[in-house]
Amino acid sequence: MILLRLISWPDARKHVLRSLLTVAGIILGIAVFVGMHTANRSVLAGFNQTVDRIAGKTQLQVSAGEAGFGEDVLERIQSVPEVRVAVPVIEAVVDTGRKGQGNLLILAVDMTGDSSLRDYQVGAGEDSPVEDPLVFLAQPDSLIVSRDFAARNKMKTGDALPMRTMDGEKRFTVRGIVQSGGLASAFGGNLAVMDIYAAQKVFGRGRKFDRIDLAVNEGVTVQQCQTALRKLLGPGFAVEPPSSRGQQFESMLRVYSLSMDVSSLFALLIGMFIIYNSLLIAVTQRRTEIGILRALGATRGQIQMLFVGEAAVAGLLGSTLGVVAGLFIAKGLAGHISGIIETLYGSAERTNEISVDPKLALFAAGLGVAASVVSALLPARNASAVDPAVALQKGHSQAIGESENRIRRNIAIAMGAVSLACLAVGGSALFFYGGYLLMALSALLLTPMLALWLAKAMRPLLSWLQPVEGPLAVESIILAPRRTSATVAALMLSLAMTIGLGGLAQSTYSSVREWLDATFNAPLFVTTSQSGASQFYHFPAAMLPSLTAIEGVEEAQPVRHLKLNLAGKAALLVATDLTRFAARTPNRRIAAGSYQKMYEAAAQGKGLIVSENFAERHGLSLASDLELPTPSGLLRLPVAGIVKDYSFQEGTIFIDRPVYMRNWNDDSIDMFRVYLKNGVAPDDVKRRIIERFERERHLFVLSNQELKSYVLHLADQWFAMTYVQIAVAVLVSVLGILNTLTVSITERKRELAVMRAVGGLASQVRRTIWLEAFTIAVIGLVLGLALGAVHLYYQLDMIRRDFTGMALEYQFPLSMALALVPVILISAWVSALGPAELAVRTPLVEALEYE
């Protein structure tokens, strides 16, 4: 501690820029780590909070997926002796149409019995209470809203609130205002309660409920009641506590969380290399100081502990600032993730607050300190190895990291060979991820050698460009391979991460575009939402003849989408007329099976068609049997075919519409694929459809291009992190090259001064530094793009194996790589401006006496 106070602190104040660079490396890694994890946690906490507040005293919930179930199920459940009270529920999210207010969560219940489960604290005085539930029921336009929502919208009892329903826009009347807290604070306070039988009509549910909330009788355990209900209802129904909904939502976040973890790891590794280079500066600049300490009796261990202690302090400071920065990042990221999850999964979730986990903050701080200490070990060892006699002599500079480590090179080659062997063997996750790790370690260990080779290879070109400055720049890199390799490694990792994510995005876009062109080829789509399907609104089957009768319409194919929960994994079920669908999509890509035979079998109710990623995730092949839970019991059918499909990242199942209606007792529709007669303009038919239904139906009419653009926009949202990674790559290049050049100039003060003393121009010194930065950037680009190409291969395989099961084609993002070249080169030049001026402006006498 004495050395830290007397030696390290004055040095940190003297070299503020170097100190900031050291801290910046850890801030970068920890901020990304904390921001991503906190955002995910906040989204999940917001959903769980909404579930808990709505559940009230509910102990068990009965559901049968998004399709719901008939009213007769309520009577069966109420007859079970273990059940004290059971009430039906419908939940829906609607757009308020009020600027800045977001969506409104509708909780539809049977007011005559629901008060035993949920506490409706209705305001008094001006906001008169709902004294008689029967009066409330007799007026189907009744709503109870939360006090927070009423206050934000300046509403009171008796005011009208227009909402778009399946029967067109309707005006609802606020007949009660729930006091703040408890139930009323669910969904950020944007909550409204209405009668369930009115909601059935408003949201096109028919005579169905979404779920049943219940409480058990006294003297009966929740497990006993759960067992009795499962025995009564069969496998087609889920009987779970309300908390299970949070577990299902958490599984939806799994893919996004895993991808964020990978990015966080890369960011932290990059930060470690920045710290390593910063500490190399400290060792170089304080060589004389180290020599004095050693001459005064300081041991090698004390010198090592001095630099390790500096790194630990810098790590603690950087981690603390990184945690704070991460929380700010999380605020923006949480809303981004919420939007993606709500759009892709239709989940009712609202994130108003950031959920801070003290354990995560402490873990992140510990991780930052540990990373700093590990990064400092090699520079600290180099510092302790300084010979005091040599360090105190001018003109004798002790080289640091000049020779290549032959053992390290051999280890790297061995790791690379084992990595290739693991890749060839494949199979288990142990071989795959073990090979991936060995590949990355091999690349890092080989970086000094590869950087040296590339620098030597560039010497002729630089000599041709600048006969004097070029060789000097290359020699500086060749004489200090370890110093240069730290920057190159950081830049290489950053670029590899960027290329991997960019290649994944390009492969996804390409595959999705091909799928959209082959599958979504109808000129028009009539949907209940802009996304193409809604969990909350559905069309009645009676709409089909009216739509087909519109002038210019040749055929309208009804489609129903709903999410299923299969053994804890989500899946999308798509029900349509498969015979007509097959006739309209002849170019659809098949992964396994015969196109004609699979559709014939599925249309006859003798099989199912599944997406390739669903088959991968569930270990299915042709003729494998698949069991689907339905309200009518288990439906067991063989897999008749496997197709390339990207409707849902967890997997898709295609079933013939009559089979679906028979087993799910549901004839509702989410989308119509509308095909037109020859010569008819899509815009004309779109106008006619809107004119025919806009006053009586909640619908959107999307053109083929509009729907495709919307789907690709969702992909853009999912891969928005690509732009963040590019920013990280640029930041790494700036920080790393700035560090390296600062070390280079410090070590070469006398050399550069001699160059100026014998007539070298200031412009020549500047060009020497600029060319050195240019060379480092080119080496980092070459190695980063090469490692990125390998990383992309592994990343695509990870997606297939453990993320979504989608087998995406390998496509190197050449356009992104070409765009990165000028960005990194310009960043390198900007990074070199300061060090170049430092080299030029250092007084000659001072520089000549440096060594």
mmCIF file with all atom_site columns, all heavy atoms in Angstrom, residues 581-593:
data_model
loop_
_atom_site.group_PDB
_atom_site.id
_atom_site.type_symbol
_atom_site.label_atom_id
_atom_site.label_alt_id
_atom_site.label_comp_id
_atom_site.label_asym_id
_atom_site.label_entity_id
_atom_site.label_seq_id
_atom_site.pdbx_PDB_ins_code
_atom_site.Cartn_x
_atom_site.Cartn_y
_atom_site.Cartn_z
_atom_site.occupancy
_atom_site.B_iso_or_equiv
_atom_site.pdbx_formal_charge
_atom_site.auth_seq_id
_atom_site.auth_comp_id
_atom_site.auth_asym_id
_atom_site.auth_atom_id
_atom_site.pdbx_PDB_model_num
ATOM 1  N N   . PHE A 1 581 ? -52.498 -24.543 -50.096 1.00 0.00 ? 581 PHE A N   1
ATOM 2  C CA  . PHE A 1 581 ? -51.235 -23.876 -49.795 1.00 0.00 ? 581 PHE A CA  1
ATOM 3  C C   . PHE A 1 581 ? -50.103 -24.446 -50.648 1.00 0.00 ? 581 PHE A C   1
ATOM 4  O O   . PHE A 1 581 ? -49.272 -23.709 -51.187 1.00 0.00 ? 581 PHE A O   1
ATOM 5  C CB  . PHE A 1 581 ? -50.924 -24.047 -48.303 1.00 0.00 ? 581 PHE A CB  1
ATOM 6  C CG  . PHE A 1 581 ? -49.631 -23.418 -47.875 1.00 0.00 ? 581 PHE A CG  1
ATOM 7  C CD1 . PHE A 1 581 ? -49.527 -22.048 -47.688 1.00 0.00 ? 581 PHE A CD1 1
ATOM 8  C CD2 . PHE A 1 581 ? -48.507 -24.187 -47.648 1.00 0.00 ? 581 PHE A CD2 1
ATOM 9  C CE1 . PHE A 1 581 ? -48.331 -21.465 -47.283 1.00 0.00 ? 581 PHE A CE1 1
ATOM 10 C CE2 . PHE A 1 581 ? -47.307 -23.625 -47.246 1.00 0.00 ? 581 PHE A CE2 1
ATOM 11 C CZ  . PHE A 1 581 ? -47.220 -22.249 -47.062 1.00 0.00 ? 581 PHE A CZ  1
ATOM 12 N N   . ALA A 1 582 ? -50.047 -25.779 -50.780 1.00 0.00 ? 582 ALA A N   1
ATOM 13 C CA  . ALA A 1 582 ? -48.997 -26.424 -51.574 1.00 0.00 ? 582 ALA A CA  1
ATOM 14 C C   . ALA A 1 582 ? -49.081 -26.016 -53.041 1.00 0.00 ? 582 ALA A C   1
ATOM 15 O O   . ALA A 1 582 ? -48.061 -25.842 -53.714 1.00 0.00 ? 582 ALA A O   1
ATOM 16 C CB  . ALA A 1 582 ? -49.102 -27.938 -51.437 1.00 0.00 ? 582 ALA A CB  1
ATOM 17 N N   . ALA A 1 583 ? -50.312 -25.862 -53.543 1.00 0.00 ? 583 ALA A N   1
ATOM 18 C CA  . ALA A 1 583 ? -50.485 -25.488 -54.945 1.00 0.00 ? 583 ALA A CA  1
ATOM 19 C C   . ALA A 1 583 ? -49.974 -24.076 -55.220 1.00 0.00 ? 583 ALA A C   1
ATOM 20 O O   . ALA A 1 583 ? -49.546 -23.773 -56.334 1.00 0.00 ? 583 ALA A O   1
ATOM 21 C CB  . ALA A 1 583 ? -51.959 -25.593 -55.325 1.00 0.00 ? 583 ALA A CB  1
ATOM 22 N N   . ARG A 1 584 ? -50.007 -23.228 -54.199 1.00 0.00 ? 584 ARG A N   1
ATOM 23 C CA  . ARG A 1 584 ? -49.600 -21.835 -54.378 1.00 0.00 ? 584 ARG A CA  1
ATOM 24 C C   . ARG A 1 584 ? -48.121 -21.603 -54.052 1.00 0.00 ? 584 ARG A C   1
ATOM 25 O O   . ARG A 1 584 ? -47.590 -20.530 -54.340 1.00 0.00 ? 584 ARG A O   1
ATOM 26 C CB  . ARG A 1 584 ? -50.451 -20.932 -53.482 1.00 0.00 ? 584 ARG A CB  1
ATOM 27 C CG  . ARG A 1 584 ? -51.920 -20.859 -53.874 1.00 0.00 ? 584 ARG A CG  1
ATOM 28 C CD  . ARG A 1 584 ? -52.111 -20.007 -55.100 1.00 0.00 ? 584 ARG A CD  1
ATOM 29 N NE  . ARG A 1 584 ? -53.521 -19.784 -55.400 1.00 0.00 ? 584 ARG A NE  1
ATOM 30 C CZ  . ARG A 1 584 ? -53.959 -19.008 -56.394 1.00 0.00 ? 584 ARG A CZ  1
ATOM 31 N NH1 . ARG A 1 584 ? -53.086 -18.402 -57.186 1.00 0.00 ? 584 ARG A NH1 1
ATOM 32 N NH2 . ARG A 1 584 ? -55.251 -18.854 -56.613 1.00 0.00 ? 584 ARG A NH2 1
ATOM 33 N N   . THR A 1 585 ? -47.456 -22.573 -53.448 1.00 0.00 ? 585 THR A N   1
ATOM 34 C CA  . THR A 1 585 ? -46.047 -22.383 -53.053 1.00 0.00 ? 585 THR A CA  1
ATOM 35 C C   . THR A 1 585 ? -45.182 -23.527 -53.595 1.00 0.00 ? 585 THR A C   1
ATOM 36 O O   . THR A 1 585 ? -44.572 -24.279 -52.831 1.00 0.00 ? 585 THR A O   1
ATOM 37 C CB  . THR A 1 585 ? -45.926 -22.310 -51.523 1.00 0.00 ? 585 THR A CB  1
ATOM 38 O OG1 . THR A 1 585 ? -46.496 -23.503 -50.954 1.00 0.00 ? 585 THR A OG1 1
ATOM 39 C CG2 . THR A 1 585 ? -46.656 -21.104 -50.965 1.00 0.00 ? 585 THR A CG2 1
ATOM 40 N N   . PRO A 1 586 ? -45.091 -23.675 -54.911 1.00 0.00 ? 586 PRO A N   1
ATOM 41 C CA  . PRO A 1 586 ? -44.332 -24.795 -55.483 1.00 0.00 ? 586 PRO A CA  1
ATOM 42 C C   . PRO A 1 586 ? -42.817 -24.668 -55.311 1.00 0.00 ? 586 PRO A C   1
ATOM 43 O O   . PRO A 1 586 ? -42.099 -25.663 -55.466 1.00 0.00 ? 586 PRO A O   1
ATOM 44 C CB  . PRO A 1 586 ? -44.711 -24.745 -56.967 1.00 0.00 ? 586 PRO A CB  1
ATOM 45 C CG  . PRO A 1 586 ? -45.041 -23.301 -57.223 1.00 0.00 ? 586 PRO A CG  1
ATOM 46 C CD  . PRO A 1 586 ? -45.689 -22.815 -55.963 1.00 0.00 ? 586 PRO A CD  1
ATOM 47 N N   . ASN A 1 587 ? -42.326 -23.473 -54.997 1.00 0.00 ? 587 ASN A N   1
ATOM 48 C CA  . ASN A 1 587 ? -40.878 -23.272 -54.904 1.00 0.00 ? 587 ASN A CA  1
ATOM 49 C C   . ASN A 1 587 ? -40.350 -23.378 -53.483 1.00 0.00 ? 587 ASN A C   1
ATOM 50 O O   . ASN A 1 587 ? -39.194 -23.028 -53.224 1.00 0.00 ? 587 ASN A O   1
ATOM 51 C CB  . ASN A 1 587 ? -40.516 -21.890 -55.475 1.00 0.00 ? 587 ASN A CB  1
ATOM 52 C CG  . ASN A 1 587 ? -40.854 -21.775 -56.949 1.00 0.00 ? 587 ASN A CG  1
ATOM 53 O OD1 . ASN A 1 587 ? -40.693 -22.726 -57.707 1.00 0.00 ? 587 ASN A OD1 1
ATOM 54 N ND2 . ASN A 1 587 ? -41.351 -20.609 -57.342 1.00 0.00 ? 587 ASN A ND2 1
ATOM 55 N N   . ARG A 1 588 ? -41.170 -23.855 -52.598 1.00 0.00 ? 588 ARG A N   1
ATOM 56 C CA  . ARG A 1 588 ? -40.724 -23.944 -51.207 1.00 0.00 ? 588 ARG A CA  1
ATOM 57 C C   . ARG A 1 588 ? -39.608 -24.978 -51.074 1.00 0.00 ? 588 ARG A C   1
ATOM 58 O O   . ARG A 1 588 ? -39.669 -26.066 -51.659 1.00 0.00 ? 588 ARG A O   1
ATOM 59 C CB  . ARG A 1 588 ? -41.901 -24.350 -50.322 1.00 0.00 ? 588 ARG A CB  1
ATOM 60 C CG  . ARG A 1 588 ? -41.590 -24.208 -48.857 1.00 0.00 ? 588 ARG A CG  1
ATOM 61 C CD  . ARG A 1 588 ? -42.826 -24.355 -48.027 1.00 0.00 ? 588 ARG A CD  1
ATOM 62 N NE  . ARG A 1 588 ? -42.612 -23.824 -46.705 1.00 0.00 ? 588 ARG A NE  1
ATOM 63 C CZ  . ARG A 1 588 ? -43.457 -23.940 -45.708 1.00 0.00 ? 588 ARG A CZ  1
ATOM 64 N NH1 . ARG A 1 588 ? -44.590 -24.569 -45.897 1.00 0.00 ? 588 ARG A NH1 1
ATOM 65 N NH2 . ARG A 1 588 ? -43.190 -23.432 -44.526 1.00 0.00 ? 588 ARG A NH2 1
ATOM 66 N N   . ARG A 1 589 ? -38.578 -24.642 -50.289 1.00 0.00 ? 589 ARG A N   1
ATOM 67 C CA  . ARG A 1 589 ? -37.426 -25.537 -50.134 1.00 0.00 ? 589 ARG A CA  1
ATOM 68 C C   . ARG A 1 589 ? -37.745 -26.649 -49.148 1.00 0.00 ? 589 ARG A C   1
ATOM 69 O O   . ARG A 1 589 ? -38.277 -26.413 -48.060 1.00 0.00 ? 589 ARG A O   1
ATOM 70 C CB  . ARG A 1 589 ? -36.204 -24.748 -49.672 1.00 0.00 ? 589 ARG A CB  1
ATOM 71 C CG  . ARG A 1 589 ? -35.665 -23.791 -50.721 1.00 0.00 ? 589 ARG A CG  1
ATOM 72 C CD  . ARG A 1 589 ? -34.384 -23.157 -50.264 1.00 0.00 ? 589 ARG A CD  1
ATOM 73 N NE  . ARG A 1 589 ? -33.339 -24.148 -50.066 1.00 0.00 ? 589 ARG A NE  1
ATOM 74 C CZ  . ARG A 1 589 ? -32.133 -23.865 -49.565 1.00 0.00 ? 589 ARG A CZ  1
ATOM 75 N NH1 . ARG A 1 589 ? -31.837 -22.640 -49.206 1.00 0.00 ? 589 ARG A NH1 1
ATOM 76 N NH2 . ARG A 1 589 ? -31.232 -24.804 -49.409 1.00 0.00 ? 589 ARG A NH2 1
ATOM 77 N N   . ILE A 1 590 ? -37.377 -27.852 -49.526 1.00 0.00 ? 590 ILE A N   1
ATOM 78 C CA  . ILE A 1 590 ? -37.637 -29.037 -48.716 1.00 0.00 ? 590 ILE A CA  1
ATOM 79 C C   . ILE A 1 590 ? -36.318 -29.524 -48.123 1.00 0.00 ? 590 ILE A C   1
ATOM 80 O O   . ILE A 1 590 ? -35.314 -29.660 -48.830 1.00 0.00 ? 590 ILE A O   1
ATOM 81 C CB  . ILE A 1 590 ? -38.284 -30.160 -49.560 1.00 0.00 ? 590 ILE A CB  1
ATOM 82 C CG1 . ILE A 1 590 ? -39.538 -29.639 -50.250 1.00 0.00 ? 590 ILE A CG1 1
ATOM 83 C CG2 . ILE A 1 590 ? -38.591 -31.366 -48.688 1.00 0.00 ? 590 ILE A CG2 1
ATOM 84 C CD1 . ILE A 1 590 ? -40.594 -29.130 -49.306 1.00 0.00 ? 590 ILE A CD1 1
ATOM 85 N N   . ALA A 1 591 ? -36.310 -29.806 -46.836 1.00 0.00 ? 591 ALA A N   1
ATOM 86 C CA  . ALA A 1 591 ? -35.119 -30.347 -46.175 1.00 0.00 ? 591 ALA A CA  1
ATOM 87 C C   . ALA A 1 591 ? -35.117 -31.865 -46.189 1.00 0.00 ? 591 ALA A C   1
ATOM 88 O O   . ALA A 1 591 ? -34.055 -32.493 -46.258 1.00 0.00 ? 591 ALA A O   1
ATOM 89 C CB  . ALA A 1 591 ? -35.032 -29.837 -44.741 1.00 0.00 ? 591 ALA A CB  1
ATOM 90 N N   . ALA A 1 592 ? -36.303 -32.477 -46.110 1.00 0.00 ? 592 ALA A N   1
ATOM 91 C CA  . ALA A 1 592 ? -36.416 -33.943 -46.126 1.00 0.00 ? 592 ALA A CA  1
ATOM 92 C C   . ALA A 1 592 ? -37.831 -34.325 -46.519 1.00 0.00 ? 592 ALA A C   1
ATOM 93 O O   . ALA A 1 592 ? -38.802 -33.727 -46.048 1.00 0.00 ? 592 ALA A O   1
ATOM 94 C CB  . ALA A 1 592 ? -36.067 -34.530 -44.760 1.00 0.00 ? 592 ALA A CB  1
ATOM 95 N N   . GLY A 1 593 ? -37.954 -35.321 -47.388 1.00 0.00 ? 593 GLY A N   1
ATOM 96 C CA  . GLY A 1 593 ? -39.261 -35.806 -47.806 1.00 0.00 ? 593 GLY A CA  1
ATOM 97 C C   . GLY A 1 593 ? -39.619 -35.384 -49.212 1.00 0.00 ? 593 GLY A C   1
ATOM 98 O O   . GLY A 1 593 ? -38.901 -34.609 -49.859 1.00 0.00 ? 593 GLY A O   1
#
